[in-house]
Amino acid sequence: MRAHARLEVTADRDRSGRVRTRISRLRSDAPLVLRPTAAVEPTGRWNPHGAAHVALAAAAAGPIGGDHLRLDVEVAAGAALVVRSVAATLVLPGPHGRPSRTETHLRVAPAGTLVWLPEPVIAAGHCDHHATTRIDLEPGARLLAREELLLGRHGETPGTVHQRLRVTLAGRPLHDQEFAVGPDIPGWHGPAVTGGHRALGTLLVITPDSPADTHPANPAPTDADTAVMRLTPTATLLTVLADDALTLRRHLDRGMTGPPADCDTQRGSGLPEPAETHMSKGRVASGN
């Protein structure tokens, strides 16, 4: 099965002058089904004002060996988008021994905000899955992106998963990481891969108007292995290994309690400001 879904959002101003995000393109392609939803506040302070909320649902099982699924998401200048998935993704082996593939391409324009919160990917036994996520950011873009991987169902030996996360900022590489786990990977049974942990995840936080020093530091938990990497002065990557999905999510959620300090998309939206906004700012400036 091959499928290609697309989601695009743009920003404009309502009568009060506040920025609102609207969905300009929504194209589902089974099993990738996109549905606008009511606002659900993300954990912590990541709740952009006027954001569009979209849920990703699966119309069929899988991906199954041989499937090739692609999702493109584009956030225009000044727009804000929150994307969640309805349930975890169970990757299954196919009848012909071919690998399954998923490609996710996220683009965020200047002053745009993307909150990307899919549910975990579960690598079922004997699967062979290749997942690529590419994130292209323009200067001034905000991003919160979470990825979670569970190695098999309860008591199950997982299949093989290859993951790649590639992030660019203003067309230049910011982060490029490849990761492979499973019985077919050399060294899988050694301590240098996951150390026996069955859940792993990352949280990428990029807030151009807030220094990385304000992002959550390593909480040093006793039941998870957590590492914090400062990619730039305003970008942080949190990586967690845990024994189960609940522990993994709890520690990743800690990284969502910090910036952005201003979640109002009217500030630095990249859109022309109405005259009354300029006047208001002028009065404040003169008053000081």
Side-chain angles (χ1 to χ4, degrees):
M1 179 185 296
R2 299 180 66 90
H4 185 187
R6 295 186 62 92
L7 171 61
E8 298 177 10
V9 296
T10 57
D12 52 24
R13 293 185 182 275
D14 60 21
R15 293 182 179 179
S16 66
R18 305 202 72 173
V19 177
R20 297 287 180 179
T21 299
R22 63 182 180 86
I23 298 173
S24 57
R25 184 175 185 181
L26 190 150
R27 178 181 180 272
S28 298
D29 191 6
L32 300 175
V33 178
L34 298 164
R35 291 290 183 264
T37 66
V40 178
E41 183 177 355
T43 303
R45 301 175 62 191
W46 284 86
N47 188 28
H49 170 77
H53 292 252
V54 175
L56 176 63
I64 298 173
D67 290 353
H68 189 171
L69 311 181
R70 176 173 174 176
L71 173 63
D72 289 335
V73 177
E74 187 164 346
V75 180
L81 174 65
V82 179
V83 179
R84 297 175 178 270
S85 58
V86 174
T89 298
L90 179 62
V91 181
L92 297 166
H96 305 295
R98 293 181 296 175
S100 56
R101 300 182 184 276
T102 57
E103 296 180 39
T104 305
H105 193 180
L106 312 176
R107 304 181 186 90
V108 188
T113 300
L114 175 61
V115 181
W116 176 255
L117 299 174
E119 291 299 309
V121 173
I122 305 173
H126 306 291
C127 73
D128 183 5
H129 185 59
H130 297 250
T132 302
T133 300
R134 177 175 175 177
I135 304 175
D136 293 327
L137 306 174
E138 294 298 326
R142 293 188 181 109
L143 174 73
L144 177 75
R146 181 185 70 202
E147 289 193 337
E148 297 170 297
L149 175 64
L150 305 182
L151 302 179
R153 293 164 287 193
H154 180 70
E156 179 182 47
T157 300
T160 300
V161 176
H162 300 258
Q163 285 187 332
R164 183 180 183 185
L165 173 62
R166 185 173 188 269
V167 185
T168 65
L169 178 60
R172 303 182 63 180
L174 176 64
H175 178 67
D176 195 346
Q177 176 177 296
E178 295 189 58
F179 184 74
V181 293
D184 296 334
I185 303 302
W188 162 246
H189 296 289
V193 184
T194 64
H197 296 294
R198 296 181 59 87
L200 54 146
T202 59
L203 185 75
L204 179 61
V205 181
I206 299 178
T207 54
D209 53 0
S210 179
D213 290 343
T214 63
H215 295 179
N218 190 337
T222 58
D223 54 348
D225 290 333
T226 305
V228 177
M229 179 183 297
R230 311 295 188 188
L231 303 178
T232 70
T234 58
T236 301
L237 179 69
L238 179 69
T239 303
V240 178
L241 291 173
D243 294 328
D244 54 68
L246 182 61
T247 303
L248 176 67
R249 177 66 60 85
R250 183 169 68 247
H251 290 290
L252 288 174
D253 281 350
R254 293 185 182 182
M256 299 170 61
T257 58
D262 179 13
C263 291
D264 189 341
T265 56
Q266 180 166 325
R267 178 183 177 186
S269 65
L271 297 177
E273 297 189 28
E276 58 269 23
T277 304
H278 287 294
M279 292 173 61
S280 174
K281 289 183 176 179
R283 287 196 297 269
V284 172
S286 62
N288 291 337

